[in-house]
Amino acid sequence: TILDVLMEKSGFPGDTLGERLKNADPGVFRNLKFAKEAHFVRNRIAHEGSNFVLTEREAEQTIKKYEETFREFDYI
């Protein structure tokens, strides 16, 4: 939700977070790759539920990707 709000407030076009990520310009959004990767993990958790095995390493990496994305836009 935070990533979606950030992207919407930053003016990235699209009706959903997925659309905003697809439409984002990597020249403007330096950590776009990190944002996409973190969102992918989030979607797997949301859609696969307990069938998705999230390792501690993957959880830490995903948190770092969100952090880098939020820092880029001075969100944290």
Side-chain angles (χ1 to χ4, degrees):
T1 302
I2 295 171
L3 180 58
D4 192 25
V5 170
L6 178 152
M7 293 194 70
E8 186 175 14
K9 286 185 177 183
S10 297
F12 291 99
D15 293 327
T16 66
L17 176 55
E19 288 177 11
R20 289 184 190 100
L21 287 168
K22 286 179 186 174
N23 294 328
D25 179 355
V28 175
F29 191 164
R30 180 173 39 96
N31 286 308
L32 179 59
K33 181 180 179 203
F34 282 170
K36 286 180 177 181
E37 290 171 354
H39 183 61
F40 178 76
V41 171
R42 176 259 173 231
N43 278 347
R44 291 196 61 202
I45 293 168
H47 297 287
E48 296 178 34
S50 61
N51 291 324
F52 177 63
V53 178
L54 180 67
T55 66
E56 184 176 344
R57 183 171 185 261
E58 187 172 22
E60 289 172 356
Q61 288 175 337
T62 301
I63 290 168
K64 286 180 183 178
K65 289 173 183 177
Y66 274 121
E67 273 186 51
E68 287 299 314
T69 299
F70 298 155
R71 287 186 196 286
E72 177 178 348
F73 291 92
D74 295 321
Y75 220 69
I76 60 170

